[in-house]
Amino acid sequence: MTPTSSTTTRRRPTLTRPTLSRSSLRAPAGFALAAVLLLAVAPAALSDFRLNLLAKFLCLAMVAVGIGLAWGRGGMLTLGQGVYFGLGGYLMAMHLKLTDAGPGASRTSCSSTATAPCRGGGSRCAAPW
């Protein structure tokens, strides 16, 4: 088969090395500064209440970023990760409830009737049943 005049040769695109400019380094520097502020300065400067509130906001922000990436970039609405987030929240609440109750309060230390005091020595039981 002979080449015809309609066939043309394709040129390879030339690859250029990306150059680093100040504007391209601004975002990573901002994230690094925010990370230093969160990890080093926040525990020293904030009260316990504000620090716990910041931790809750950061947990919710991680969920929001995950949903934003899956829905915005992937084009799919994922609600399955809500199960894991809810399960983690429930387990953390149970852990904090049991930690607040103390080491002497357990399910076996409470009596079966609601009027009898706890046998563990405390005035309140960890479990309401």
Side-chain angles (χ1 to χ4, degrees):
M1 182 173 221
T2 62
T4 62
S5 62
S6 64
T7 61
T8 59
T9 59
R10 292 189 181 181
R11 296 179 66 182
R12 290 180 92 183
T14 58
L15 299 175
T16 60
R17 174 182 265 178
T19 59
L20 293 176
S21 65
R22 286 188 181 192
S23 62
S24 66
L25 294 177
R26 214 175 267 171
F31 283 123
L33 180 65
V36 167
L37 285 175
L38 284 176
L39 296 175
V41 177
L46 296 176
S47 66
D48 288 339
F49 173 74
R50 299 284 181 196
L51 196 59
N52 287 335
L53 198 61
L54 178 66
K56 289 176 188 176
F57 288 159
L58 288 176
C59 288
L60 291 173
M62 284 190 288
V63 172
V65 166
I67 289 174
L69 284 174
W71 199 357
R73 295 285 183 176
M76 60 183 170
L77 177 62
T78 59
L79 298 176
Q81 67 187 14
V83 173
Y84 296 109
F85 189 71
L87 186 62
Y90 176 76
L91 291 175
M92 190 65 190
M94 285 286 110
H95 167 71
L96 291 175
K97 181 180 176 184
L98 292 175
T99 302
D100 186 38
S106 66
R107 188 173 189 189
T108 59
S109 68
C110 291
S111 65
S112 60
T113 61
T115 58
C118 287
R119 290 188 289 240
S123 62
R124 62 180 249 229
C125 296
W129 54 88

